[in-house]
Amino acid sequence: MKLIILDRDGVINFDSDQFIKSPDEWKPIPGSLEAIARLNQWGWRVVVASNQSGVGRGLFGMDTLNAINDKMVRSLAQAGGRLDAIFFCPHSADSTCDCRKPKPGMFVQIGERFNVDLSGVPVVGDSLRDLQAGVAVGCKPYLVLTGKGGKTQLDPALPEGTVVHADLAAVVAELTA
Ligand SMILES: [Mg+2]
Ligand SMILES: [Zn+2]
């Protein structure tokens, strides 16, 4: 089984320092939805793993997060794509939960849900913590330069072997070449 794990904000949709707090604020990065559809066509299962500390901070509720994710799923369907699962950590940044990236809790859950070893599974993110969480369970790190990626690229802590691409569409072009 071919599995790929994507961060949401800054990878699939434009990020905001003020958080994505409503469906209206969720806007896809050009080419990202088509890229996910292409992954599906090539037999990849696509899973999202996203920190959503805005919930834990009280900026928006679970109903709003669900509505935002619904918009993503509907937009993706219009582009001919689908996600196999959406995992998220709703806890605040000062939480001691196991799921907030860079901790690998969501990735462990994904491995259990799909009953796969995550060794070599591509993880695509725009922040260091996305890649660190994936590398902790053996994933192969892909950094995109959308979202916070331009800044992340300069971080000396970037995991060894990180593959850098302009955006998700470019990552997918490599994986489906
Ligand atoms: Mg991000
Ligand atoms: Zn958490």
Side-chain angles (χ1 to χ4, degrees), residues 53 55-57 89-97 100:
S53 63
V55 175
R57 289 167 57 123
C89 163
H91 306 114
S92 58
D94 57 1
S95 151
T96 54
C97 71
R100 182 173 164 80

Side-chain angles (χ1 to χ4, degrees), residues 85-145:
I86 300 172
F87 286 73
F88 58 88
C89 163
H91 306 114
S92 58
D94 57 1
S95 151
T96 54
C97 71
D98 293 326
C99 42
R100 182 173 164 80
K101 297 180 283 187
K103 289 190 180 162
M106 282 190 283
F107 289 70
V108 172
Q109 290 173 29
I110 291 166
E112 288 170 355
R113 169 86 66 93
F114 292 90
N115 197 26
V116 288
D117 177 4
L118 296 180
S119 302
V121 165
V123 55
V124 185
D126 68 311
S127 295
L128 192 58
R129 61 192 178 198
D130 304 322
L131 309 181
Q132 289 171 328
V135 166
V137 292
C139 291
K140 178 173 179 178
Y142 285 82
L143 176 69
V144 288
L145 299 179

Side-chain angles (χ1 to χ4, degrees), residues 60-76:
F60 51 89
M62 280 303 309
D63 50 346
T64 300
L65 179 58
N66 288 333
I68 295 167
N69 286 337
D70 279 351
K71 182 180 180 186
M72 173 168 66
V73 166
R74 277 186 283 108
S75 305
L76 189 52

Side-chain angles (χ1 to χ4, degrees), residues 7-11 15 126-127 130 148:
D7 177 43
R8 195 192 78 180
D9 301 332
V11 173
D15 200 5
D126 68 311
S127 295
D130 304 322
K148 299 180 174 71

Side-chain angles (χ1 to χ4, degrees), residues 3-4 6 36 39-40 44-48 82-85:
L3 176 71
I4 183 170
L6 310 180
I36 293 171
L39 284 169
N40 297 149
W44 289 82
R45 289 189 177 215
V46 184
V47 175
V48 167
R82 64 182 290 268
L83 300 171
D84 284 275

